[in-house]
Amino acid sequence: MTDATASAPAAGASWLGKLEGKVSWILLGVAGLLLPLLDDSYIGVIAQRAYIYWVLSAGLNLVVGYAGQIAIGWVSMLTLGAYTTAALTAGTATEPWHPYLALIAGGVVGAVAGLVVGLPALRLRTFYFAMTTLGFATIVTQVALAWKSVTGGGVGTPGPVFPWPFDPGWGFYYFCFILAALATWMTANIASSRFGRALVAIRDAEVAAEASGIAKPKLLMAVFLFAGALGGVAGGLFSSLQSYITPDAFTFEISVLFFIAILIGGRGSILGPALGTIILTALPEFAAPLVQWSTFLYAALLLVIVLVIPGGIADLLDYKNRRPLEQHREIAPRQELLGRLLDKSDAKHTIALKDIALHFGGVRAIDGLDLEIRSGEVQGLIGPNGSGKTTTLNVISGYYAPKSGTLMLDGRSLPFGQPHLRARYRIARTFQTPRLVGAASVLENVMIGGTVHGHASFAEATLALPRNRRDEKLLHEAAMQALATVGLENLAGVRADRLQHSELRFMEIARALMLRPAFLMLDEPAAGLSPEEIRRLGSLIKAISREGTGVLLVEHHADLIFDICDHVTVLNLGKVLAAGTPNEIRSHREVVSAYLGA
Ligand code: ADP
Ligand code: MG
């Protein structure tokens, strides 16, 4: 999410800043509008082809660039849309349809197909999913070959001719231009909404996305549907541009073009892949002898880009993130702001683990654990490496189902196996190794934490309707507040992968606070922090608990634990070695000899 369309508003972004981000799009738009003045029909056809490809790539960009799904055979959507539109217009299977209606039908067929092709992505890992998309493309082509009565088989079928106002020539040119612009607008809307951020979170930090309440299957299905629909519409336009279609018009090379255009454009950008599509469409045309070599050319280009600018075109354009950051930055949390972020309530809640046991093969990671986390208190959990602390957190966050024992919230048992449901109970967490979306800004990373608070649907986000704009405004305000609370507001607009380790730890806390958590679980938050930072972290955690949140603190820094905990549990080999107040633990003979080592 590095380009300006994907909303990276730094604190106090002015209209000038917003305009600056839109300049590239305005230039592209003006060039597209004025191109017919050249009155060169050859260039016109190349431009139409680029627009049509972009209609498809724009949707595919959400699948590949944002969600990180390797959908390499997306040409199948083009094929399906093209044949649906052409066959319905020609009336080979039904009464002839009006071309515009047939085009809509092409989009609908594409949407359904997108969903069908996308389903395996929920189960299959990257490479296997890539193969299923390729397999589907082959099947579609084979059906087109075999179903002669409708598709004309190998002989082919004429494409539709759209009547006024988008009749062949510059009329059709503007049709393609408008649809490309529309596709850009819609994908940019999705990308800059909580759905776009959630997609990138699934791609780069799936566990953190789940902990923020993001339901991967539902989101991916919506995106596959949308990308399929755009692919189908592109296919309908393509069949008209070709004027006559045969199955061999839908080559593997085109599919590769779509895919590579997105990669050289830059993952998580919209402008980059748009430019990538234009470049890859035009390149072989202007170097006619190279047409034979186009696949080779694409591959070579991809190689060069990956080696020289791994972030793609978008990275080249992202000059803001090349400005050096201040060297000696200080994290100064302002816990007095917590009150506005968390809804303080006097309601008392308790998470209770009773006799929890969990084994990994022969390893008894947890072996009969009792633990309570109560509103307004800090519960410490300490123990040597491998004693089962992180596993305990993973059980509470629903990631692992224990072999035996119960996990209750206020006397009701919590379900396992669907960690994204924990956000509904306002149980938030951070991770032992910070999980972040490196390419997104710090602000966007924090906004991901509030995903469940949005009300607008995916469709409302696509069309930037008022409810979505309200969601965004509220999320933006809350995230700035959370950043100010942990002392990172000056870094809001910076790419998260440029932060120092200690800053990432505080950023994760800000993200967790976005849930307005009733319970907050911190996995070694002080690891890698300076003594002064640990002191500030300690008072921040203490303040969070005073607002009524129940905190579970896993730590190695004994000072921090004894300073701020109300109650401490010591684990050893998955068993409770001791439990009590900090004073009791400090003087517990076994703990001192086995763990504190004094
Ligand atoms: P801690 O956080 O206290 O350092 P963990 O909870 O990470 O300890 O690990 C407890 C034990 O469980 C260790 O022996 C670790 O190797 C094992 N363990 C943790 N997660 C897994 C896993 N996913 N598969 C197999 N073993 C695991
Ligand atoms: Mg651990």
Side-chain angles (χ1 to χ4, degrees):
M1 273 194 247
T2 48
D3 72 28
T5 56
S7 97
S14 63
W15 63 270
L16 197 67
K18 282 186 194 156
L19 182 72
E20 185 188 291
K22 296 211 161 68
V23 163
S24 324
W25 288 114
I26 294 172
L27 289 179
L28 273 178
V30 170
L33 280 174
L34 298 184
L35 192 83
L37 291 181
L38 286 180
D39 205 22
D40 182 328
S41 60
Y42 176 60
I43 291 185
V45 169
I46 298 172
Q48 285 166 30
R49 190 179 300 273
Y51 296 151
I52 293 171
Y53 285 172
W54 173 241
V55 170
L56 181 141
S57 300
L60 183 62
N61 185 29
L62 293 180
V63 173
V64 175
Y66 282 79
Q69 300 294 326
I70 308 186
I72 199 160
W74 212 245
V75 69
S76 55
M77 303 304 143
L78 196 76
T79 319
L80 281 169
Y83 274 107
T84 306
T85 313
L88 286 177
T89 311
T92 50
T94 57
E95 286 294 297
W97 287 38
H98 193 283
Y100 289 114
L101 282 182
L103 181 65
I104 293 173
V108 172
V109 169
V112 174
L115 201 61
V116 172
V117 177
L119 276 175
L122 303 180
R123 295 227 157 261
L124 298 180
R125 285 284 137 202
T126 49
F127 177 72
Y128 300 95
F129 174 64
M131 296 315 290
T132 61
T133 64
L134 267 185
F136 185 77
T138 312
I139 293 171
V140 169
T141 312
Q142 291 306 317
V143 171
L145 263 177
W147 199 2
K148 290 202 178 75
S149 62
V150 173
T151 64
V155 182
T157 188
V161 176
F162 291 99
W164 188 88
F166 302 121
D167 41 351
W170 295 115
F172 185 66
Y173 171 89
Y174 278 117
F175 194 30
C176 298
F177 176 76
I178 290 168
L179 287 174
L182 209 60
T184 310
W185 179 70
M186 291 193 291
T187 47
N189 286 342
I190 294 171
S192 62
S193 74
R194 66 194 174 108
F195 297 101
R197 288 187 296 274
L199 283 174
V200 182
I202 287 175
R203 180 190 78 194
D204 287 354
E206 190 171 341
V207 200
E210 283 177 333
S212 301
I214 294 166
K216 174 177 166 181
K218 211 171 139 200
L219 181 62
L220 280 189
M221 288 300 96
V223 167
F224 279 119
L225 196 92
F226 177 75
L230 283 185
V233 169
L237 295 173
F238 184 76
S239 67
S240 180
L241 179 72
Q242 296 286 91
S243 65
Y244 202 85
I245 50 168
T246 54
D248 52 5
F250 305 94
T251 56
F252 179 57
E253 270 101 287
I254 303 186
S255 220
V256 173
L257 180 149
F258 299 143
F259 197 77
I260 294 187
I262 291 167
L263 293 189
I264 66 172
R267 296 199 318 169
S269 153
I270 293 187
L271 183 61
L275 294 176
T277 306
I278 296 171
I279 292 169
L280 289 193
T281 313
L283 201 64
E285 301 287 345
F286 291 111
L290 295 179
V291 175
Q292 318 274 356
W293 295 85
S294 56
T295 314
F296 172 76
L297 216 67
Y298 298 154
L301 199 63
L302 179 65
L303 207 64
V304 169
I305 296 247
V306 167
L307 290 176
V308 180
I309 32 166
I313 299 171
D315 229 22
L316 278 183
L317 301 175
D318 185 28
Y319 62 93
K320 274 192 194 140
N321 265 307
R322 281 195 293 276
R323 285 178 198 152
L325 295 176
E326 201 188 315
Q327 277 298 313
H328 301 287
R329 304 192 294 271
E330 187 175 73
I331 309 169
R334 300 201 338 249
Q335 54 244 31
E336 64 275 15
L337 299 177
L338 270 172
R340 274 191 271 168
L341 196 61
L342 306 171
D343 343 296
K344 183 163 185 149
S345 86
D346 294 326
K348 293 276 175 231
H349 302 286
T350 308
I351 289 180
L353 288 77
K354 199 136 193 61
D355 209 20
I356 294 276
L358 178 68
H359 303 178
F360 294 110
V363 181
R364 296 177 173 210
I366 320 179
D367 201 9
L369 169 68
D370 293 334
L371 186 74
E372 282 198 359
I373 316 171
R374 282 179 290 267
S375 296
E377 293 182 11
V378 183
Q379 164 71 50
L381 186 60
I382 62 174
N385 277 329
S387 57
K389 304 182 297 294
T390 299
T391 307
T392 304
L393 245 73
N394 285 334
V395 167
I396 301 173
S397 45
Y399 205 73
Y400 294 139
K403 185 166 151 277
S404 60
T406 57
L407 171 66
M408 308 272 224
L409 170 60
D410 295 338
R412 278 177 301 143
S413 64
L414 288 170
F416 294 105
Q418 288 175 297
H420 69 272
L421 293 180
R422 286 295 189 269
R424 309 261 164 211
Y425 296 98
R426 293 174 43 232
I427 301 174
R429 69 172 292 185
T430 65
F431 298 87
Q432 189 168 348
T433 320
R435 307 287 170 104
L436 64 140
V437 182
S441 70
V442 171
L443 178 68
E444 287 164 333
N445 269 277
V446 174
M447 284 169 87
I448 286 168
T451 303
V452 289
H453 297 318
H455 296 288
S457 66
F458 188 82
E460 286 172 286
T462 308
L463 301 174
L465 294 183
R467 216 144 62 124
N468 183 63
R469 289 206 299 272
R470 202 159 53 234
D471 281 352
E472 287 305 304
K473 186 163 166 285
L474 290 177
L475 275 177
H476 185 272
E477 281 168 11
M480 284 310 294
Q481 192 104 51
L483 280 171
T485 307
V486 302
L488 291 178
E489 75 266 42
N490 291 334
L491 296 171
V494 175
R495 272 173 67 115
D497 56 9
R498 304 183 68 200
L499 261 52
Q500 294 161 0
H501 183 79
S502 55
E503 290 165 336
L504 289 178
R505 293 229 174 259
F506 281 88
M507 184 186 86
E508 277 214 317
I509 294 176
R511 183 175 65 199
L513 288 177
M514 286 293 284
L515 262 187
R516 290 183 225 120
F519 296 97
L520 175 62
M521 305 189 285
L522 304 165
D523 200 348
E524 303 197 17
L529 267 55
S530 71
E532 176 57 24
E533 285 166 340
I534 293 179
R535 203 188 53 72
R536 292 177 182 181
L537 174 74
S539 40
L540 178 64
I541 296 174
K542 192 78 201 161
I544 291 173
S545 79
R546 248 184 269 117
E547 290 294 324
T549 299
V551 178
L552 176 64
L553 175 63
V554 169
E555 244 322 316
H556 271 305
H557 290 83
D559 291 350
L560 179 62
I561 286 281
F562 293 136
D563 259 7
I564 67 170
C565 288
D566 298 291
H567 190 268
V568 180
T569 298
V570 187
L571 278 183
N572 193 26
L573 297 172
K575 283 190 165 65
V576 176
L577 183 63
T581 63
N583 277 334
E584 288 162 4
I585 298 299
R586 221 192 304 245
S587 52
H588 191 285
R589 202 146 35 87
E590 268 179 273
V591 175
V592 172
S593 64
Y595 179 57
L596 297 175

